[in-house]
Every structure is written in C-alpha cells, then in structure tokens.
Amino acid sequence: SAFAAAEAIMTTDRYPKLRSKTLSNGVRVVGVAKGAGMIEPNMATMLGYIMTDATIEKSKLQTMLSEACNRSFNSISIDGDESTSDTVVAIASGLKPLSSEDELRTALFEVCEGLSADLVRNGEGTGHVMRVKISNFPGTEYHARRLGRHLANSPLVKCAISGNDPNTGRIAGAIGSFMGKFFPTESVDEMSLTLGGRTIFNNGKFVLEGQEVEEELSNHMADAQLGEHDEFPQHQKFVEIGIDFGGEGSDVTVLG
C-alpha cells in the first residue's frame, strides 16, 4: 500500500508522509515523501514520489510537476542546509482516461503542497511552522521565495517564534537585510506586515498597541506550537506571517 511505502522510505522522520486526491472521474493522485533534515532548495534531503492512474503525455506531466515543485518543495526550508540527494518523481500508469488536465494540475499541486508542509512540520527539532505569504514582491517569484526562506532561516526570528515571543523587529530586520543586500533601489515605503492576521507594520512604522496585542500575538504562536517528539502532529496550524509590498509584483508562499 502507499502507507507502507511511505513508512519504508523513512529515515529520521518521526512519521510517514502520505497525501492523496481523487478527481471527479475517479482518477487518483497519490504522493509519499520523506525528509526531516538538510531541507533547503534545491530541493532538500528528501524523496518524493507522486503516482497517478491518469493517461497523460510525459511532457505535460513534467511541466505540471515542475510547476508544483516550485510552489511546494522549492518553497520550504527547515535548516538552510542543501543536499546533493533530492528526488521528486511523478509516474502515470495510463490506466484511466483523463477528462481535465486542469483538474489533474490542481490535484498535483494540492498533493505536493501537502507533502511539503508535512516535511517542514516533521523537521528535526521543529516546534513551529511559519507560513510566510509574500504579496506584490518587486521581482520574480524566484527572488520572492528567496526572501521567504531568508526570513524563515533567520536565527533571530526562529528563536523568537520558538519562545512564542512576538519580537516584530526581528521580522522587519530580516526583510530589511535581504532587501538592502539584493534590492537596494526598491522602495519599501508601501510595505505592510502582519503576524497572525494582525497588522504589525504599516506606513513605514510599527503598529504597537500595548500588552494586550503582544499577548494576542504570543498566543497565536503558542497555539501553533508542536511537540518536538510527537509521534504524529497534533494539528496543522501555522505561525502566519504576511508581507505585502503594495503595488504589483510576485506572490508566493514559503514554509519554514
């Protein structure tokens, strides 16, 4: 079974990763993955196998998989350390006719994004998972993902979130260091930041509203906390961080 396969490829993983999606005409997409350390694109110390019984041309499946990987496995980080041994494979048996390529693409994206989230949630020593949503970045999606991973990999940001400490200056500092180094001519005057859905930075200044708001932000982090030694994750919550540069640009989501 797929579950047995997911268990068989585990190394330092605490639990197997398995995701599936059934299309409207009965075609299935099933994926398994493993990985818990040395997780940083390109792609990570990980194995991912996506299987479908759909009938589809190899070139089209390859294009879909590449798109899915950019949105998922190439948009995660646990420790910032790359590896030489990464594999994501998609296999189609052709046993069933495919009625909608768009539906298959959506299912493939969903399975890959679910597996990539499972990898981060099961990262070695992981106590929280950050979901960094970047909107209107003044550059390509590739560079927007780099910003997201730069923030997720910041030791100061990690320490703050690990302690459920809403140190908003560390988030802004990580963004500023990236933009100053790689996009020094781009304006951040219209940038706004949110943490747990609450605005923490806008119009060039922090939005500080006292102890009550700090407790709200701290509780948001605590609510998303995971047990580092749980046999299975008790929930699928995230520490939600939003970065909106205003205007028009690239939109990505990074997990770390």
Side-chain angles (χ1 to χ4, degrees):
S1 69
F3 186 79
E7 287 186 312
I9 61 175
M10 290 169 55
T11 51
T12 59
D13 308 67
R14 294 196 304 276
Y15 54 85
K17 287 91 171 165
L18 170 65
R19 296 275 177 157
S20 68
K21 184 75 174 179
T22 302
L23 279 60
S24 59
N25 68 340
V27 166
R28 295 194 68 200
V29 179
V30 178
V32 298
K34 81 92 183 174
M38 291 182 72
I39 304 295
E40 167 81 5
N42 298 298
M43 278 178 289
T45 304
M46 55 152 290
L47 301 174
Y49 301 102
I50 317 298
M51 297 154 283
T52 179
D53 49 9
T55 300
I56 185 171
E57 294 178 14
K58 178 181 177 180
S59 59
K60 291 182 178 180
L61 183 60
Q62 179 63 63
T63 297
M64 290 182 187
L65 180 63
S66 297
E67 294 174 359
C69 281
N70 280 336
R71 292 171 52 133
S72 56
F73 300 113
N74 282 337
S75 294
I76 64 175
S77 183
I78 291 176
D79 43 37
D81 288 322
E82 296 183 4
S83 165
T84 58
S85 52
D86 307 316
T87 301
V88 173
V89 176
I91 303 171
S93 67
L95 294 177
K96 292 184 178 179
L98 181 62
S99 59
S100 170
E101 290 184 7
D102 287 340
E103 191 178 10
L104 177 63
R105 180 183 291 103
T106 299
L108 185 63
F109 286 0
E110 186 175 320
V111 168
C112 288
E113 289 171 356
L115 288 173
S116 64
D118 291 338
L119 292 174
V120 178
R121 197 168 285 112
N122 187 203
E124 295 173 359
T126 296
H128 298 76
V129 178
M130 291 176 267
R131 180 158 61 184
V132 184
K133 293 186 177 181
I134 302 174
S135 305
N136 303 308
F137 180 80
T140 64
E141 289 186 2
Y142 170 79
H143 287 101
R145 286 193 294 270
R146 285 188 61 193
L147 168 60
R149 296 200 303 270
H150 179 82
L151 174 62
N153 287 332
S154 165
L156 288 177
V157 173
K158 283 187 172 184
C159 285
I161 291 179
S162 178
N164 300 321
D165 176 12
N167 192 323
T168 55
R170 294 185 176 186
I171 296 174
I175 297 168
S177 69
F178 180 89
M179 296 302 293
K181 182 180 295 184
F182 300 107
F183 291 86
T185 62
E186 294 290 346
S187 172
V188 293
D189 292 344
E190 297 183 23
M191 185 184 72
S192 62
L193 306 178
T194 59
L195 178 58
R198 174 176 281 275
T199 300
I200 59 174
F201 185 93
N202 197 23
N203 295 322
K205 60 183 179 181
F206 288 100
V207 181
L208 303 175
E209 302 182 35
Q211 183 67 26
E212 184 176 336
V213 172
E214 286 203 13
E215 291 179 359
E216 175 189 324
L217 298 177
S218 180
N219 289 338
H220 168 68
M221 296 177 179
D223 187 53
Q225 191 161 0
L226 296 158
E228 296 181 20
H229 304 290
D230 289 345
E231 190 170 342
F232 280 91
Q234 302 302 306
H235 60 74
Q236 298 189 32
K237 299 176 183 178
F238 301 92
V239 175
E240 302 283 2
I241 299 174
I243 309 170
D244 190 340
F245 286 87
E248 296 181 357
S250 301
D251 301 334
V252 301
T253 298
V254 173
L255 305 182

